[in-house]
Amino acid sequence: MAEMLISLEKLNKTYKSGGSDVAALRDVSLGISRGEAVAVMGPSGSGKSTLLSIIGGLNPPTEGKVIIDEIDLYNLNREKRADFRREYLGFVFQQFQLIPYLTAVENTMLPLTTTRYPSREKREMAMQALERVGLETKCNRLPNQLSGGEQERVAIARAIVNAPPLVLADEPTGNLDTRTAREIMELFRSLNASGLTVLMVTHNPENIKYMNRAITMEDGKLVDDAGNLRAVGGSCFDRSESAGGLR
Amino acid sequence: MNLYSIAFKNIIRCRSRILFIVTALLIGTAIAVALYMIVDSMRLAIGDQIDEFGSNIVIVPRAEGMEIGYGGTELARTAIDLKQLSETDLEKISAIPDYRSINIVSPKIVASVAIKDRDVIMVGVEPQREFAMKPWFSLAEQEGLEAGANPGDLALLELPEKGLIAGADAARALNLQAGDALAINGSTFQVTGILNRLGSVEDGLLLGNLSAVQTLLNRPGEISMIEISAYCNECPVEELAAQLSGVLPNGRVTALRQAALLREETIDKFSLFSMLITGVILVIAGLMVLTTMMGSVHERTREIGIFRAIGFRGSHVMQVIMVEAGLAGLLGGAAGYIGGNLVARYFGSYLAGENIDFIWQTGLILPALGLAVAIALAAAVYPAYRAASLDPVEALRFI
Ligand SMILES: Nc1ncnc2c1ncn2[C@@H]1O[C@H](COP(=O)(O)OP(=O)(O)O)[C@@H](O)[C@H]1O
Ligand SMILES: [Mg+2]
């Protein structure tokens, strides 16, 4: 087994909203190796986004541990976790993820804003990231001058500009038409092929063929974990492929 | 790109919001600057008025024409011409408790004399004291000077026993020149010098030695007026006047600064009032900045969530907000400085109640900028703190 990148130990998350408690995660344990592309499936409200935000260091779990690259994430304070996010991961969201008054290249540069690189280098890094998503020619456009798919590409460029080991994506194709969604998934596949670990929440079973593992959540619990999808050649999610992997 | 450019670009995007903040700060700063300038120029003007009085206490005999009045109605005016002040009174002055505050005591005798069919006011003075008290006196002509040479310093001038200094108008009326001899009541005086025109009563006078004029008038030892110059930065001039009244029952002591002082009190009150107004307006401006920034933070919740998700620290988010506020403060301060100067220039005379020339006070640029920036920053602290402590999960929840 490849080197472990993410290790979740008995995660529980309870939201307190208006007096009643909502258990969003129940005893979730999971390991993800470097280089994996993992799809997170499950009905709405099953805790997928919660899981992602906890792994992303944005949302302290009620119980349990998150270890990423041997760092116990919630042992760090808020500000240190922000530094961690900048160094270790990129986020891609479904929509509205770009800053409307910044151009494509400026949006891409955003994670570098608080670093010490000289500004020319920041721009060069951003241009390289835009090149990887095929958008270098539209670098000076504002988000509202870009199509939905192009905005998504800028978001991906921004997520990888710092060359983090991990990208977390929450329904990145949810708002795109089928063709554009496929292009985006192709992009994720090629990024994954070059070594990036991807954890992606998705509703669309078609997307699973671009990933090599799929986990399923239901009511805050991890109910299924299917590995080596691509190796097995499964073109769609097949429950019978469900193997171990559940830790 | 850095945090500043994010703040800057957001300002450009949200022009109307920023315009609102800048306007609030502009009004606050402009009013502060204008009121400061008006109060300042009022103080300057009154300072000039005080400086123009060489003396600030004048003592005259209590009654040369005594008013006997009742309830504002003058019943009678008796002319009792008594010899009421004399040189012995001068020694009494040195007995008052605050004598140290007194700088110069200049006694004089004043009388009208007929010269060449004209009535001229002749004043006997002790020249060294009189000229020390009135340093703005200067000579236009001086006896015995070679052509082209400049007249000497009056304060150093030795006035001969029967020498005279003529005011500019008196010299012209009597056709006098330095060095002329002049017969007065059968006694011959010599014109030692002629004063430059002052634009005041002194232009029409002849000044001589106190003793010589007393002798001429046959009123030895008599004094018709004592002018006193006192350092009055700390001592209240009224207090001095009261002490002098105590030792000089025959004299009527008038503190010349009373009028000026009264005016100064008015200015102090106006100044306090201005400070209150300015303070209230600045607080309101600050509150306007605060609510506007709160609205901005609220509106940018999602944006702030994104900043946090991609690795901005809370303090970075705070910086972006504070830089925006600071830039707005600079703009508002600069505009307020200009606005305040214009207000002072065009409405200042009206407010100050006198004709005052307002000049651009460049020294106020930095205080104006500092004030506006300080208010903007102070008002932005809370919104910035709120932005920094926003829960990114909540902020991103509906993404
Ligand atoms: N910030 C929150 N406060 C309260 N309840 C929340 C919050 N976020 C999510 N939840 C609840 O937790 C459960 C899991 O939500 P979520 O993780 O968003 O699920 P998914 O992404 O799978 O739709 C849901 O019942 C949701 O209503
Ligand atoms: Mg979700």
Side-chain angles (χ1 to χ4, degrees):
Chain A
M1 190 107 217
E3 186 198 340
M4 193 69 69
L5 181 65
I6 305 173
S7 149
L8 310 179
E9 292 170 19
K10 290 209 172 241
L11 283 186
N12 279 283
K13 178 70 185 184
T14 308
Y15 290 111
K16 300 210 186 312
S17 61
S20 65
D21 289 1
V22 181
L25 290 186
R26 303 166 199 253
D27 278 341
V28 174
S29 295
L30 177 69
I32 294 172
S33 305
R34 228 176 252 281
E36 277 194 286
V38 182
V40 183
M41 312 279 291
S44 177
S46 57
K48 307 180 297 291
S49 296
T50 301
L51 182 71
L52 231 63
S53 65
I54 290 179
I55 295 174
L58 293 169
N59 194 2
T62 317
E63 269 172 56
K65 259 189 187 175
V66 179
I67 306 217
I68 299 179
D69 202 25
E70 294 176 3
I71 297 168
D72 187 344
L73 200 46
Y74 290 93
N75 250 353
L76 306 174
N77 65 27
R78 248 169 78 96
E79 302 289 67
K80 282 275 189 304
R81 285 208 303 277
D83 295 346
F84 171 87
R85 283 195 291 277
R86 196 183 62 205
E87 301 298 328
Y88 277 84
L89 46 94
F91 273 102
V92 180
F93 309 101
Q94 183 174 347
Q95 56 181 341
F96 298 123
Q97 66 280 72
L98 301 181
I99 307 296
Y101 51 90
L102 299 179
T103 62
V105 65
E106 286 164 348
N107 263 291
T108 308
M109 256 191 274
L110 218 47
L112 305 173
T113 320
T114 57
T115 63
R116 289 218 192 90
Y117 296 110
S119 57
R120 183 175 331 137
E121 204 166 321
K122 289 181 190 173
R123 184 164 283 268
E124 261 165 32
M125 288 166 79
M127 285 309 292
Q128 274 168 19
L130 281 177
E131 241 167 80
R132 283 182 77 181
V133 301
L135 222 64
E136 67 276 18
T137 55
K138 298 185 174 170
C139 62
N140 286 325
R141 297 218 186 157
L142 288 170
N144 62 11
Q145 298 166 321
L146 294 169
S147 71
E150 287 167 341
Q151 289 186 37
E152 199 64 43
R153 283 170 193 274
V154 175
I156 295 169
R158 185 178 67 195
I160 61 171
V161 70
N162 234 355
L166 174 65
V167 165
L168 304 174
D170 199 344
E171 300 189 40
T173 60
N175 255 17
L176 302 175
D177 61 73
T178 320
R179 225 189 84 202
T180 317
R182 281 197 193 119
E183 286 169 14
I184 294 293
M185 289 311 294
E186 277 298 342
L187 182 57
F188 271 110
R189 174 146 66 185
S190 77
L191 291 171
N192 174 241
S194 62
L196 188 73
T197 307
V198 178
L199 187 61
M200 179 189 294
V201 171
T202 178
H203 269 317
N204 188 351
E206 210 196 310
N207 287 345
I208 292 169
K209 68 178 177 225
Y210 299 93
M211 316 298 277
N212 54 27
R213 182 175 168 193
I215 60 175
T216 307
M217 302 201 51
E218 231 164 69
D219 201 16
K221 288 198 196 98
L222 203 53
V223 296
D224 211 345
D225 188 346
N228 286 328
L229 295 172
R230 256 186 267 163
V232 176
S235 63
C236 74
F237 185 68
D238 184 350
R239 278 172 184 273
S240 67
E241 292 289 343
S242 160
L246 196 75
R247 269 165 264 255
Chain B
M1 201 170 73
N2 52 36
L3 295 174
Y4 290 89
S5 32
I6 294 177
F8 195 69
K9 281 170 203 271
N10 184 53
I11 281 185
I12 291 173
R13 177 187 62 154
C14 298
R15 267 180 240 106
S16 57
R17 187 195 298 284
I18 274 303
L19 208 69
F20 184 73
I21 295 181
V22 168
T23 308
L25 292 169
L26 182 160
I27 293 171
T29 323
I31 288 177
V33 167
L35 285 178
Y36 178 86
M37 284 177 68
I38 290 168
V39 169
D40 193 48
S41 58
M42 281 163 88
R43 282 201 197 291
L44 268 181
I46 197 167
D48 287 348
Q49 285 170 14
I50 291 169
D51 286 348
E52 274 164 23
F53 296 118
S55 59
N56 37 17
I57 297 174
V58 172
I59 306 169
V60 294
R62 181 159 288 277
E64 268 175 35
M66 191 168 63
E67 290 159 39
I68 301 171
Y70 181 83
T73 321
E74 193 175 296
L75 298 177
R77 178 182 275 269
T78 55
I80 316 160
D81 197 4
L82 294 174
K83 185 172 124 184
Q84 283 158 324
L85 283 177
S86 72
E87 283 175 357
T88 53
D89 287 325
L90 296 178
E91 285 143 36
K92 295 182 191 159
I93 290 175
S94 59
I96 66 165
D98 277 335
Y99 182 64
R100 272 178 309 122
S101 302
I102 291 181
N103 182 20
I104 302 170
V105 177
S106 177
K108 52 199 61 158
I109 184 161
V110 184
S112 175
V113 293
I115 306 170
K116 298 180 184 170
D117 299 332
R118 283 172 188 273
D119 281 338
V120 181
I121 307 281
M122 188 151 187
V123 181
V125 297
E126 297 199 358
Q128 311 280 290
R129 297 186 184 194
E130 178 69 4
F131 296 140
M133 184 181 276
K134 298 178 178 168
W136 57 91
F137 280 18
S138 63
L139 286 175
E141 283 180 39
Q142 187 177 348
E143 181 191 3
L145 275 194
E146 289 173 25
N150 285 327
D153 190 344
L154 251 181
L156 303 175
L157 186 82
E158 284 287 343
L159 191 66
E161 175 60 19
K162 298 204 105 180
L164 278 182
I165 303 281
D169 290 341
R172 210 185 41 181
L174 299 172
N175 199 17
L176 295 179
Q177 280 172 342
D180 287 357
L182 188 62
I184 307 174
N185 289 359
S187 184
T188 304
F189 286 79
Q190 180 99 10
V191 180
T192 306
I194 293 172
L195 291 177
N196 278 312
R197 181 173 301 280
L198 297 160
S200 58
V201 283
E202 281 91 351
D203 287 341
L205 303 181
L206 291 178
L207 300 172
N209 277 303
L210 179 64
S211 55
V213 178
Q214 283 171 337
T215 311
L216 175 77
L217 299 171
N218 200 20
R219 286 154 75 178
E222 192 185 323
I223 285 169
S224 36
M225 179 182 179
I226 305 172
E227 282 187 280
I228 292 178
S229 145
Y231 295 120
C232 262
N233 281 341
E234 274 123 52
C235 72
V237 72
E238 283 78 9
E239 173 63 28
L240 267 183
Q243 291 176 11
L244 288 167
S245 293
V247 296
L248 301 173
N250 290 345
R252 196 176 69 191
V253 182
T254 313
L256 285 188
R257 236 184 106 185
Q258 268 172 335
L261 208 70
L262 216 69
R263 182 136 171 75
E264 201 168 56
E265 259 168 36
T266 316
I267 293 178
D268 282 344
K269 281 193 189 127
F270 181 70
S271 162
L272 191 72
F273 177 71
S274 320
M275 277 196 273
L276 278 174
I277 293 276
T278 308
V280 168
I281 286 173
L282 290 179
V283 167
I284 292 173
L287 287 176
M288 275 158 81
V289 174
L290 185 123
T291 48
T292 315
M293 296 297 277
M294 275 316 274
S296 163
V297 166
H298 185 74
E299 204 173 89
R300 293 164 75 188
T301 300
R302 216 193 298 268
E303 195 179 309
I304 292 163
I306 293 168
F307 285 149
R308 298 288 275 133
I310 63 169
F312 278 38
R313 288 179 163 207
S315 59
H316 293 136
V317 173
M318 203 155 166
Q319 269 182 58
V320 172
I321 309 275
M322 294 303 274
V323 167
E324 278 180 32
L327 285 173
L330 281 180
L331 287 177
Y337 166 75
I338 295 171
N341 271 277
L342 292 178
V343 168
R345 211 184 179 92
Y346 293 109
F347 302 103
S349 295
Y350 172 71
L351 273 176
E354 49 194 283
N355 221 1
I356 295 168
D357 280 336
F358 286 93
I359 45 160
W360 284 90
Q361 291 212 10
T362 46
L364 286 181
I365 292 179
L366 287 182
L369 290 180
L371 183 70
V373 170
I375 291 169
L377 291 183
V381 167
Y382 181 66
Y385 168 77
R386 286 292 295 266
S389 49
L390 223 131
D391 182 359
V393 176
E394 279 294 324
L396 294 171
R397 183 141 179 226
F398 302 103
I399 290 184

